[in-house]
Amino acid sequence: MELPVIDLAPYLAIADAGNREGESTKRVSGLTELCHEVSRLLKETGALLVKDPRCTAEDNDRFIDMMEKYFEKPAEFKRLQERPFLHYQVGVTPEGVEVPRSLVDEEMQEKLRAMPKEHQPLTPKGPDPKWRYMWRVGPRPSKTRFQELNSEPVIPEGFPEWKETMDSWGYKMISAIEAVAEMAAIGFGLPKDAFTSLMKQGPHLLAPTGSDLKRYGQEGTVFAGYHYDLNFLTIHGRSRFPGLNIWLRNGEKIEVKVPIGCLLIQTGKQIEWLTAGECTAGMHEVVVTKRTINAIKLASEQNRSLWRVSSTLFAHIASDAVLKPLGHFAESPLASKYPSICTGEFVEQELSVINLKGNKGES
């Protein structure tokens, strides 16, 4: 199965026209069907491919070019941007720090053993052998029960374009998430801003990963062990090396192919909470596959970087907002499984399971 691509341009045009004319976008002809398709795909697959005219392939390339240049630097240079005393909330996280949930969650391990062999994830042998860079995107609340540490963003020396490139790509991907969140809300029969109003001043993080395929390019290597993301929605630009597997609602495992110029969006645990399990947090892994090996060979022939960069952004519900089933989802028979909880407390609970205290997602 290949995921269909949703073009956001018609929605963005209609929504903009509707907003200018004071109309409810819910009533604009042709919009509802598209929104239902978005909500259906999030429910059934936990993933969505979108094309957003505001996020171009050139934008993605510019970002990946810079991150490849950074990750290719020696480990001792990168460790200058490491902030373990800030729980890796900013700067670089070296390989061997992030622990996949499937390695520590016994209940998850039982479920994995019960899966048909062909749909089982690969078993990681330890912490993920990938690097990650944490960069905050968007404003934060001045008053909050979950005040993030007042640390300055970390900018590596020799990268004058760093801040502008990170902020530009981060804001563009947040805009795409907001459009999808509005469409999903309409498709689920909720007010258009049901999700986006809760996202305002959320602790969104642009968190690209870097995996060294020259060193770890053997088929079967696990860069990100089987897990879900604890945030609301996760978005990625297209990576230059394939290797992402996702699991559909029916348990089927598929390798994702992201077309050029498209973005991949995945459901996190927070949207599962808000929809009382109508959407479930999408399970996924990043591994070296035969297609990865082929891409490595081609990149080697063309003398290109052998670092696999994922331009991951974790979009969050605001820390002080309450996570609970919204609207008609509160009447769901499953609603009792999703009791009201402050989002910041929920995140802290999730983080207590994995090693990386302070990481706002896990992908």
Side-chain angles (χ1 to χ4, degrees), residues 42-352:
L42 291 177
K43 174 185 171 181
E44 292 179 7
T45 68
L48 191 65
L49 289 171
V50 299
K51 191 169 180 60
D52 187 326
R54 302 166 299 181
C55 304
T56 65
E58 291 73 28
D59 292 328
N60 189 48
D61 283 340
R62 179 173 168 240
F63 176 80
I64 289 182
D65 286 346
M66 185 183 77
M67 293 312 303
E68 283 179 347
K69 186 178 156 192
Y70 172 76
F71 285 125
E72 281 168 354
K73 295 282 187 187
E76 53 270 26
F77 171 85
K78 288 181 288 202
R79 284 186 181 274
L80 295 174
Q81 290 84 55
E82 186 182 5
R83 301 292 184 270
F85 54 92
L86 298 178
H87 308 300
Y88 300 101
Q89 287 186 104
V90 292
V92 79
T93 305
E95 62 181 57
V97 173
E98 294 189 28
V99 177
R101 197 177 193 103
S102 55
L103 209 60
V104 294
D105 188 327
E106 290 180 9
E107 188 181 334
M108 186 180 282
Q109 289 168 3
E110 278 181 39
K111 286 179 182 172
L112 300 187
R113 286 191 286 269
M115 282 182 177
K117 276 279 186 222
E118 68 272 21
H119 296 312
Q120 285 182 5
L122 294 180
T123 305
K125 294 177 172 62
D128 293 337
K130 68 176 186 293
W131 293 71
R132 189 191 290 283
Y133 209 100
M134 293 292 206
W135 184 264
R136 296 175 188 170
V137 178
R140 300 306 202 242
S142 55
K143 290 183 180 177
T144 171
R145 286 174 53 202
F146 305 92
Q147 189 70 52
E148 288 178 292
L149 297 170
N150 290 315
S151 48
E152 290 298 309
V154 181
I155 300 176
E157 219 174 286
F159 288 82
E161 75 280 29
W162 188 272
K163 185 178 188 305
E164 195 276 329
T165 302
M166 298 294 266
D167 285 345
S168 171
W169 188 231
Y171 276 104
K172 286 182 178 189
M173 291 208 290
I174 284 281
S175 297
I177 287 260
E178 288 172 341
V180 168
E182 287 182 356
M183 295 172 78
I186 294 168
F188 283 130
L190 299 170
K192 173 184 148 183
D193 67 347
F195 298 130
T196 53
S197 61
L198 296 173
M199 288 174 61
K200 286 190 184 354
Q201 297 191 328
H204 313 308
L205 280 171
L206 180 58
T209 62
S211 306
D212 187 355
L213 294 170
K214 192 180 284 186
R215 187 175 171 196
Y216 299 113
Q218 302 77 31
E219 187 175 350
T221 299
V222 180
F223 282 121
Y226 181 83
H227 68 280
Y228 63 77
D229 293 341
L230 61 84
N231 52 298
F232 172 60
L233 291 173
T234 301
I235 185 167
H236 314 265
R238 184 177 187 268
S239 175
R240 290 171 178 165
F241 296 91
L244 175 66
N245 293 323
I246 67 169
W247 277 259
L248 306 183
R249 191 75 176 257
N250 64 7
E252 183 187 348
K253 172 182 172 180
I254 63 169
E255 188 174 359
V256 178
K257 298 172 185 174
V258 181
I260 292 171
C262 291
L263 302 161
L264 173 69
I265 291 176
Q266 294 174 276
T267 51
K269 201 68 176 176
Q270 291 171 10
I271 194 172
E272 178 177 332
W273 218 268
L274 297 171
T275 62
E278 184 81 359
C279 290
T280 54
M283 305 305 300
H284 50 284
E285 68 178 0
V286 178
V287 298
V288 177
T289 65
K290 286 185 171 59
R291 287 181 63 232
T292 318
I293 300 289
N294 292 337
I296 291 170
K297 285 177 185 167
L298 184 60
S300 298
E301 289 165 10
Q302 296 175 348
N303 202 27
R304 289 189 284 109
S305 174
L306 292 182
W307 277 85
R308 182 191 189 277
V309 173
S310 78
S311 54
T312 303
L313 183 140
F314 299 119
H316 274 261
I317 299 303
S319 300
D320 294 280
V322 174
L323 272 187
K324 63 179 181 180
L326 299 177
H328 61 87
F329 291 120
E331 308 304 317
S332 162
L334 297 177
S336 60
K337 287 179 62 181
Y338 301 95
S340 295
I341 183 171
C342 191
T343 307
E345 289 174 17
F346 168 81
V347 169
E348 287 175 353
Q349 284 180 17
E350 289 284 309
L351 289 173
S352 69

